[in-house]
């Protein structure tokens, strides 16, 4: 039986086969980036939106503090109105009342947001920078370098973070810089171990094996390939750490380890000043405590939703 030759024109081309997979318009749908899709997933979550709104609110208050605060946070010109056991409450002039030192509570709360967020962000940058450097060295070099760095991190993690921060702040002395460094030191082993673990899990990935097979040097593979694919969990951890940093900074200020200037508006110091007025003016302690809880809650909710949005195991 003679065979009928098939002309090249009658063969289905790769272009035609690909076209069968495209939508009716003939154009492939645009793919979004990982972070864009993660942001959309966060916005689609009620807790994610609430956490993001809390963060945006406190950031806006911190940035606009010089313009929205009705008075200077250190202005104690109303001290004459304060009596032992009697502290003026909310009024038309002072919406949240006057504290034990004759200062406007609302103004100190507003400026306290700036100091608390500043301490949290600077602590995160310091701790993450040192921790990521140590984690990268441990994950990329391995051997005795990995052993020495990880044993040091284990020793640091053996001490509770708040006690460790108290010890560091006590040694450095009273200042905002001491609080930033103390909080940052407690985060170093967290970021170091996280990045090192991520790099070890990526060491035998297909793209790493392919890079080795074409002769790419080991340090270039670690820097250009493994590191960029290992930082996503670190970013999520950074968001969660901001909540811890705000709480620890407030704790250090409450213990008197922050700046020696009593007029500095900090939520932790406001709690300290309100200790003697809890029975007669509990609002002086409730307001800064609520600010600490809400700001930490915002970063916690956002961090948890980012973790679910970026981790394929949690995607629904």
């Amino acid at each position: 039986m003679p065979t009928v030759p098939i002309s090249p024109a009658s063969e289905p081309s790769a272009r035609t086969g690909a076209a069968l997979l495209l939508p009716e318009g003939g154009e492939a749908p645009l793919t979004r980036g990982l972070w864009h899709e993660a942001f959309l997933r966060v916005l689609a979550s009620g807790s994610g939106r609430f956490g993001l709104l809390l963060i945006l609110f406190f950031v806006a208050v911190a940035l606009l503090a010089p313009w929205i605060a009705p008075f200077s946070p250190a202005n104690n010109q109303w001290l004459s109105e304060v009596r032992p056991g009697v502290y003026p409450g909310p009024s038309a002039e002072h919406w949240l009342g006057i504290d034990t030192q004759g200062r406007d509570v609302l103004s100190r709360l507003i400026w306290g947001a700036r100091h608390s967020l500043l301490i949290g962000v600077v602590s995160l940058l310091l701790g993450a920078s040192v921790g990521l450097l140590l984690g990268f060295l441990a994950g990329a070099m391995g051997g005795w370098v990995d052993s020495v760095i990880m044993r040091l991190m284990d020793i640091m993690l053996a001490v509770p973070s708040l006690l460790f921060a108290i010890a560091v702040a006590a040694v450095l002395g009273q200042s905002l810089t001491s609080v930033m460094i103390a909080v940052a030191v407690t985060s170093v082993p967290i970021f170091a171990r996280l990045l090192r673990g991520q790099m070890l899990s990526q060491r035998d990935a297909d793209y790493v094996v392919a890079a080795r097979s074409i002769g790419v040097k080991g340090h270039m593979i670690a820097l250009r390939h493994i590191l960029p694919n290992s930082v996503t969990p670190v970013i999520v951890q950074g968001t969660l750490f901001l909540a811890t940093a705000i709480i620890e900074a407030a704790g250090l200020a409450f213990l008197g380890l922050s700046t020696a200037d009593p007029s500095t508006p900090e939520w932790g110091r406001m709690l300290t000043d309100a200790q003697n007025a809890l029975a007669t003016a509990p609002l002086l302690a409730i307001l800064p405590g609520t600010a600490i809880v809400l700001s930490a809650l915002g970063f916690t909710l956002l961090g948890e939703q980012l973790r679910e949005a970026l981790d394929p195991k949690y995607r629904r």
Side-chain angles (χ1 to χ4, degrees), residues 139-140 198-230:
Q198 288 296 316
M199 293 186 67
L200 291 182
S201 66
Q202 298 287 332
R203 181 177 293 177
D204 296 325
D206 293 339
Y207 67 90
V208 176
V209 176
R212 289 199 192 103
S213 65
I214 62 175
V216 180
K217 296 182 179 179
H219 67 279
M220 297 304 298
I221 294 176
L223 188 61
R224 292 188 176 182
H225 299 282
I226 298 180
L227 180 61
N229 287 281
S230 304

Coordinates of all heavy atoms in Angstrom, one line a residue, residues 139-140 198-230:
G139 N 26.8 29.0 56.3 CA 26.2 28.2 55.3 C 27.0 28.0 54.0 O 27.0 26.9 53.4
A140 N 27.8 29.0 53.7 CA 28.6 29.0 52.5 C 29.9 28.2 52.7 O 30.4 27.5 51.8 CB 28.9 30.4 51.9
Q198 N 18.4 27.7 55.7 CA 17.9 27.9 54.3 C 19.0 27.6 53.3 O 18.7 26.9 52.3 CB 17.3 29.3 54.2 CG 16.0 29.5 54.9 CD 14.9 28.7 54.4 OE1 14.7 28.5 53.3 NE2 14.2 28.1 55.4
M199 N 20.2 28.0 53.5 CA 21.2 27.8 52.6 C 21.6 26.3 52.5 O 21.9 25.8 51.4 CB 22.5 28.7 52.9 CG 22.2 30.2 52.7 SD 23.7 31.1 53.0 CE 24.7 30.6 51.6
L200 N 21.6 25.7 53.6 CA 21.9 24.2 53.6 C 20.8 23.4 52.9 O 21.1 22.5 52.2 CB 22.0 23.7 55.0 CG 23.3 24.2 55.8 CD1 23.3 23.6 57.2 CD2 24.6 23.9 55.1
S201 N 19.6 23.9 53.0 CA 18.5 23.2 52.3 C 18.6 23.4 50.8 O 18.0 22.6 50.0 CB 17.2 23.6 52.8 OG 16.9 25.0 52.5
Q202 N 19.2 24.5 50.3 CA 19.3 24.8 48.9 C 20.6 24.3 48.3 O 20.8 24.4 47.1 CB 19.2 26.3 48.7 CG 18.0 27.0 49.2 CD 16.8 26.7 48.2 OE1 17.0 26.5 47.0 NE2 15.6 26.7 48.8
R203 N 21.5 23.7 49.1 CA 22.8 23.4 48.6 C 22.8 22.3 47.5 O 23.6 22.4 46.6 CB 23.7 22.9 49.8 CG 25.1 22.5 49.4 CD 25.9 22.1 50.6 NE 26.1 23.2 51.5 CZ 26.7 23.1 52.7 NH1 27.2 21.9 53.1 NH2 26.9 24.2 53.4
D204 N 21.8 21.4 47.6 CA 21.8 20.3 46.6 C 20.6 20.5 45.6 O 20.2 19.5 45.0 CB 21.6 19.0 47.3 CG 22.9 18.6 48.1 OD1 24.0 19.0 47.7 OD2 22.7 18.0 49.2
A205 N 20.1 21.7 45.5 CA 19.0 22.0 44.6 C 19.5 21.8 43.1 O 20.7 21.9 42.8 CB 18.4 23.4 44.8
D206 N 18.5 21.6 42.2 CA 18.9 21.4 40.8 C 19.7 22.5 40.2 O 20.6 22.3 39.4 CB 17.6 21.1 40.0 CG 16.9 19.8 40.4 OD1 17.6 18.9 40.9 OD2 15.7 19.6 40.1
Y207 N 19.3 23.8 40.5 CA 19.9 24.9 39.9 C 21.4 25.0 40.4 O 22.3 25.5 39.7 CB 19.2 26.2 40.1 CG 19.1 26.6 41.6 CD1 20.1 27.5 42.1 CD2 18.1 26.2 42.4 CE1 20.0 27.9 43.4 CE2 18.0 26.6 43.7 CZ 19.0 27.5 44.2 OH 18.9 27.9 45.5
V208 N 21.6 24.6 41.7 CA 23.0 24.6 42.2 C 23.8 23.5 41.5 O 25.0 23.8 41.1 CB 23.0 24.4 43.7 CG1 24.4 24.3 44.2 CG2 22.2 25.5 44.4
V209 N 23.3 22.3 41.3 CA 24.0 21.3 40.6 C 24.3 21.7 39.2 O 25.4 21.5 38.6 CB 23.2 20.0 40.6 CG1 23.9 18.9 39.8 CG2 23.0 19.5 42.1
A210 N 23.4 22.3 38.5 CA 23.6 22.8 37.2 C 24.7 23.9 37.1 O 25.5 23.8 36.2 CB 22.3 23.4 36.6
A211 N 24.7 24.8 38.1 CA 25.7 25.8 38.1 C 27.1 25.2 38.3 O 28.1 25.6 37.7 CB 25.4 26.8 39.2
R212 N 27.2 24.1 39.2 CA 28.5 23.5 39.4 C 28.9 22.8 38.1 O 30.1 22.7 37.8 CB 28.3 22.4 40.5 CG 28.2 23.0 41.9 CD 28.5 22.0 43.0 NE 28.1 22.5 44.3 CZ 27.1 22.0 45.0 NH1 26.3 21.2 44.4 NH2 26.8 22.5 46.2
S213 N 28.0 22.2 37.4 CA 28.3 21.4 36.2 C 28.9 22.2 35.1 O 29.7 21.7 34.3 CB 27.1 20.7 35.7 OG 26.1 21.6 35.2
I214 N 28.6 23.5 35.1 CA 29.2 24.4 34.0 C 30.4 25.2 34.5 O 30.9 26.1 33.9 CB 28.1 25.4 33.5 CG1 27.6 26.3 34.6 CG2 27.0 24.6 32.8 CD1 26.6 27.3 34.1
G215 N 30.9 24.8 35.7 CA 32.1 25.4 36.2 C 32.0 26.7 37.0 O 33.0 27.3 37.2
V216 N 30.8 27.0 37.5 CA 30.7 28.3 38.3 C 31.4 28.0 39.7 O 31.2 26.9 40.3 CB 29.2 28.6 38.5 CG1 29.1 29.9 39.4 CG2 28.6 28.8 37.2
K217 N 32.1 28.9 40.2 CA 32.9 28.8 41.4 C 31.9 28.7 42.6 O 30.8 29.3 42.6 CB 33.9 29.9 41.6 CG 35.0 29.9 40.5 CD 36.0 31.0 40.8 CE 37.1 31.0 39.7 NZ 38.1 32.1 39.9
G218 N 32.4 28.1 43.7 CA 31.5 27.9 44.8 C 31.0 29.1 45.5 O 29.9 29.3 45.8
H219 N 31.9 30.1 45.6 CA 31.5 31.3 46.3 C 30.5 32.1 45.5 O 29.6 32.8 46.0 CB 32.7 32.2 46.7 CG 33.4 32.8 45.5 ND1 34.4 32.0 44.8 CD2 33.4 34.0 44.9 CE1 34.9 32.8 43.8 NE2 34.3 34.0 43.9
M220 N 30.6 32.0 44.1 CA 29.7 32.7 43.3 C 28.3 32.0 43.3 O 27.3 32.7 43.2 CB 30.2 32.8 41.8 CG 31.5 33.6 41.7 SD 31.4 35.3 42.3 CE 30.1 35.9 41.2
I221 N 28.3 30.7 43.4 CA 27.1 30.0 43.5 C 26.3 30.4 44.8 O 25.1 30.7 44.8 CB 27.3 28.5 43.5 CG1 27.8 28.1 42.1 CG2 26.0 27.7 43.8 CD1 28.2 26.6 42.0
A222 N 27.1 30.5 45.9 CA 26.5 30.8 47.2 C 26.0 32.3 47.2 O 24.9 32.5 47.7 CB 27.5 30.7 48.3
L223 N 26.7 33.2 46.5 CA 26.4 34.6 46.6 C 25.3 34.9 45.6 O 24.3 35.7 45.9 CB 27.6 35.4 46.3 CG 27.5 37.0 46.5 CD1 27.1 37.3 47.9 CD2 28.8 37.7 46.1
R224 N 25.3 34.4 44.4 CA 24.4 34.8 43.3 C 23.2 33.9 43.2 O 22.2 34.3 42.6 CB 25.1 34.8 42.0 CG 26.2 36.0 41.9 CD 26.7 36.1 40.5 NE 27.6 37.2 40.3 CZ 28.2 37.5 39.2 NH1 28.0 36.8 38.1 NH2 29.1 38.5 39.1
H225 N 23.3 32.7 43.7 CA 22.2 31.7 43.5 C 21.5 31.3 44.8 O 20.3 31.4 44.9 CB 22.7 30.5 42.7 CG 23.3 30.8 41.3 ND1 22.5 31.1 40.2 CD2 24.6 30.9 40.9 CE1 23.2 31.3 39.2 NE2 24.5 31.3 39.6
I226 N 22.3 30.8 45.7 CA 21.8 30.2 46.9 C 21.2 31.3 47.8 O 20.1 31.2 48.3 CB 22.8 29.4 47.7 CG1 23.2 28.2 46.8 CG2 22.2 28.9 49.0 CD1 24.3 27.3 47.5
L227 N 22.0 32.4 48.0 CA 21.6 33.5 48.9 C 20.2 34.1 48.5 O 19.3 34.3 49.3 CB 22.7 34.5 49.0 CG 22.4 35.7 49.9 CD1 22.1 35.2 51.4 CD2 23.5 36.7 49.9
P228 N 20.1 34.5 47.2 CA 18.8 35.2 46.8 C 17.6 34.2 47.0 O 16.5 34.7 47.3 CB 19.0 35.5 45.3 CG 20.5 35.6 45.2 CD 21.0 34.6 46.1
N229 N 17.8 32.9 46.9 CA 16.7 32.0 47.1 C 16.5 31.6 48.6 O 15.6 30.8 48.8 CB 16.9 30.7 46.3 CG 16.8 31.0 44.8 OD1 15.6 31.0 44.3 ND2 17.9 31.2 44.1
S230 N 17.2 32.2 49.5 CA 17.1 31.8 50.9 C 16.7 33.0 51.8 O 16.5 32.8 53.0 CB 18.5 31.3 51.4 OG 19.0 30.2 50.6

